[in-house]
Structures are given as structure tokens and as C-alpha cells.
Amino acid sequence: GMSEKELRRSLSVLPIGTVMKLTSLTARQIRYYEQHQLVFPDRSEGNRRLFSLNDVDRLLEIKDYLADGLNIAEVKEQFARQVEARKRSISDSQMRKILRDELLQTGRLTDDDGPTFPIKRI
């Protein structure tokens, strides 16, 4: 589950003026990145954009990528890759756990009549 800290970072509470100060981006730039679905602010009752600390991090990352010479399409690509990598690292660790459990299981099964090969406990 999400920790309290993570939860707080994802709360959309910051108006665009504050985000402009924190990122040194113009309102126009921020709206442009939203149009390109790089950032997804919430809307207040009065239909004002509200951003989270995670959104601010994301905007700073976008700024860095653009400063490095990437274009918007390439920035999107980068974020898509990050998501993929996160999914992969989770499945990697799950895979390791499954393999480890299988090895331990094999170890237990062959213990009775003595293993035919030395089993290293992990």
C-alpha cells in the first residue's frame, strides 16, 4: 500500500502559481505539458488546476529532459520507459522469489533419500 508520505506527495493541493514558483515554468508551458499528457493536474470546484508534489517532480524532470535536447515525443517515450522498467523490476523480484521457493522446495523433496546433487541453501 501507499505510505502516508507517498499519499501526501500525490495530493493535488498546489495552485498553478505555486507550481510556477517551484519550477520556474510559465503557466503556458505547464498547460502545454498537460495538453501533451505529460502531467495530469486535478481540477478544483472552480475548475482551477491543482497539482501534487509528484506533479512538480514530473515537471522538473520534463524541464531537465528538454534542457538535454529531447523533444516532447522523446520525453513521453522516457516516461513510458520508466513505467515499463518499474513493472519489470517488480516482476523480476517476484520471479526470483518463485525460483527461490522452488529451489527450497526441491531441497526438501530430495532430502529424504539424499539429494543426487549438493543443494545450496539460499
Side-chain angles (χ1 to χ4, degrees), residues 2-3 9 11 16 23 27 36 48 56-57 59-60 64 69 80 82-83 100 108 118 122:
M2 272 209 279
S3 71
R9 290 196 59 78
L11 285 179
I16 197 162
T23 61
H36 283 275
R48 286 220 216 312
V56 171
D57 283 345
L59 286 166
L60 289 170
D64 285 345
Q82 285 176 19
V83 170
R100 184 173 172 279
R108 275 197 291 279
I122 298 172

Side-chain angles (χ1 to χ4, degrees), residues 4 6-7 12 17 20 38-39 52 54 69-70 73 79 93 98-100 104 107 111 113:
E4 194 185 345
E6 281 174 276
L7 214 53
S12 300
M20 287 165 65
L38 287 169
V39 69
S52 69
N54 287 333
L70 273 64
F79 287 134
S93 62
I98 291 165
L99 286 172
R100 184 173 172 279
L104 291 175
D111 270 349
D113 46 2

Side-chain angles (χ1 to χ4, degrees), residues 9 14-35 37-41 49-67 72 75 79:
R9 290 196 59 78
L14 305 170
I16 197 162
T18 304
V19 175
M20 287 165 65
K21 285 197 187 91
L22 289 169
T23 61
S24 310
L25 291 166
T26 65
R28 189 168 163 211
Q29 286 172 307
I30 295 168
R31 284 196 302 268
Y32 180 74
Y33 303 145
E34 181 187 4
Q35 276 167 9
Q37 300 185 319
L38 287 169
V39 69
F40 303 91
R49 288 173 179 80
L50 288 175
F51 296 81
S52 69
L53 289 170
N54 287 333
D55 291 329
V56 171
D57 283 345
R58 166 66 72 110
L59 286 166
L60 289 170
E61 252 185 294
I62 293 167
K63 241 184 105 161
D64 285 345
Y65 281 135
L66 294 174
I72 290 288
V75 172
F79 287 134

